[in-house]
Amino acid sequence: MAFLEETVRGIRKDIVKMIGKAASGHPGGSLSSAEILTLLYFEQMNVDEKNPRKEDRDRFVLSKGHAAPVLYATLAAKGFFPKAELEKLRQLGSMLQGHPDMNKVPGVDMSTGSLGQGISVAAGMALAGKMDNKSHKIYALLGDGELQEGLVWEAAMAASHYQLNNLIAFVDNNNLQIDGAICEVMSPFPIDAKFEAFGWNVITVEDGHDFDELRTAVEAAKKSEDKPTVIICKTVKGKCVSFMENNAGWHGKGPNAEEVKQALAELEA
């Protein structure tokens, strides 16, 4: 557990530093989902940083592609590419674009950015795995604001119809999107009942920053016999940076030099 806590702290620091240097990016939703990716890549998923395209690997799809910084920081921490690359986020010619590109970044399994399409592709990956009698899992991460996209529910319907128990989706339920509170913009609630109605196995994690709760949820999801699973994680937008926490204004902007300094000091504490 100490290893995971130290790793996620380092990932958060890298998120703040890379977005600060780029003066552009999405810190709020990257920070809120850091524990989810840390647990998957450092404990739960079958991946090999030395062989990113190995056939039997588990796949991860960042459906909320704007949170690319958390994926990049996690992949770099895992050793898929040098951490020095993080300093080139959103720079001309850099492989680390504002949204993940599978053709440029080792470890990225799907190019994402248009909301709703990531979970749709993840369902397709899971169906292909089923048809080929493969044992690997497909993991996907959605934003709660992303649930406002109709495409999400088409994918949910298909995943249930085809009994894709090899598909495990997470909802980063931090309750905020770029325009404010999700319930005020277009409420997706009740999220659990909606997925249940679509035929999914639903698990709610009350603290999406607690590794024990997340681990228990993932291990239960792996045991599903005939349904896809969604793990609804209650999280805090901008987690661990005081002036970003629960602040929709930090959905998509970069901190200045002083703000980076303050954020890193808080993450060191």
Side-chain angles (χ1 to χ4, degrees), residues 210-231:
D210 185 290
F211 284 116
D212 287 333
E213 285 193 52
L214 288 169
R215 180 183 299 107
T216 298
V218 173
E219 292 178 351
K222 289 179 177 180
K223 296 175 182 176
S224 177
E225 296 183 357
D226 59 358
K227 293 181 179 182
T229 296
V230 61
I231 302 173

Side-chain angles (χ1 to χ4, degrees), residues 55 59 120-138 158-159 162-167:
E55 183 62 28
R59 275 77 166 168
S120 301
V121 172
M125 287 178 168
L127 179 57
K130 278 277 192 182
M131 294 174 70
D132 291 339
N133 294 312
K134 301 296 186 181
S135 61
H136 62 262
K137 300 288 188 184
I138 309 298
Y162 290 110
Q163 299 183 327
L164 303 181
N165 65 320
N166 55 342
L167 174 61

